[in-house]
Amino acid sequence: MNTSFNFSGRLANLYDKIAAEEVDAFLITKQANVTYLSGFRGDSAVLFIGKNFRKLITDGRYIEQALNETKNFTLVEHTEGLYKKIVEEIKISGCKKIGFEGLVMTVAEHSYLKKELPNVEFKSVELDTLRQVKDAAEIAQIRRACKIADDAFEKILEFIKPDVREIEVAAELEYIMRRLGSEAAAFTTIVASGWRSALPHGTATDKKICAGELVTIDFGATFNGYHSDITRTVCVGKASAEQRKIYNLVLDAQLYGLEIITAGKGGKELDAAVRDRLTNAGYGRFFVHGLGHGVGLEIHEEPRLSKRSKCEKLFPNMIVTDEPGIYIANFGGVRIEDTILVTAGKAKPLTHSPKTLIEL
């Protein structure tokens, strides 16, 4: 994790959260939050943070890595089980009320802690919101991940043609992104052609792409732990009048989203506005998911732009997606998506691949 990240500021916000939740310490078990607060990118560690201590608990496989990636944390090595060591550290701390990530910890893990620590009160807390507003270093990583995805899209267009299988396109795309500097695909790459393009999460199969079909490609790169997310839909050969009509409706909705997504507006409000645009065109019932989601250390994180969004107001430097779509069974579908930076004015796309209909 890059040392230019403002870990002291992140920890200061965490301590404010500890005070607001009226607990003695937080037990942090979600990997993205462990990374965000400490810089450690291993996959088997927890943070135990109180007013006068900061501990990272992991096993011998990760001690050297933790030494290189973290500062100002006491490293605690466990050899007989992670949760057994957590119990020991809580007892040493003397804490009587601990906040834990209730949406992450399993029932079995929670039951074990309650059994071993009957005099400690555990309070479920939500920490993901700490990551919603990105700092300059985070935005820089996401910009780089977006640039990798854009460059890869330009190259993959040469590969898409009739009789090429969806899984071949996905494999080639991920290989290109790796060559361009991506650590890994941001998520399971979606390549959905023909009737399968009506599946919003139609991950690549061995189906062969045919002439005249729409192909939806949803993918992203990962750079220094941070993700990008982009979707483009192309047509193999000349698009039919109906395909072009659907494409233009989605493009209009997506561009409208870029016009209205701004600081101060809420997630439900923005989703409804773009959804109404498609509804007024007669296609609202075919838009079956939310308008967008946050992007960062996770590919899907807060804030959400959807009917069930808890975000009452966006803030500058949040990063979200704008991704309306139309999906019609036995016909196909279109989705167009950008990763965007929220500002006090008009949203700024961080992905820049062409959005006019590409006919290959």
Side-chain angles (χ1 to χ4, degrees), residues 137-188:
E138 290 181 289
I139 294 170
Q141 313 311 305
I142 296 171
R143 283 187 186 276
R144 179 66 180 274
C146 288
K147 178 66 164 58
I148 291 170
D150 278 333
D151 290 347
F153 178 72
E154 181 180 3
K155 294 179 182 296
I156 200 63
L157 292 177
E158 303 170 6
F159 190 80
I160 301 171
K161 59 191 65 174
D163 293 329
V164 173
R165 293 177 299 160
E166 293 171 347
I167 54 173
E168 293 178 281
V169 175
E172 183 70 13
L173 181 57
E174 292 176 12
Y175 173 69
I176 293 169
M177 288 194 292
R178 281 285 193 141
R179 289 289 299 269
L180 291 171
S182 177
E183 296 167 350
F187 50 92
T188 302

Side-chain angles (χ1 to χ4, degrees), residues 153-154 156-162 209 211-213 215 217 233-239 357-360:
F153 178 72
E154 181 180 3
I156 200 63
L157 292 177
E158 303 170 6
F159 190 80
I160 301 171
K161 59 191 65 174
I209 294 170
E213 289 185 335
V215 182
I217 310 167
T233 301
V234 301
C235 189
V236 179
K238 186 172 180 60
L357 179 57
I358 296 173
E359 296 171 310
L360 299 173

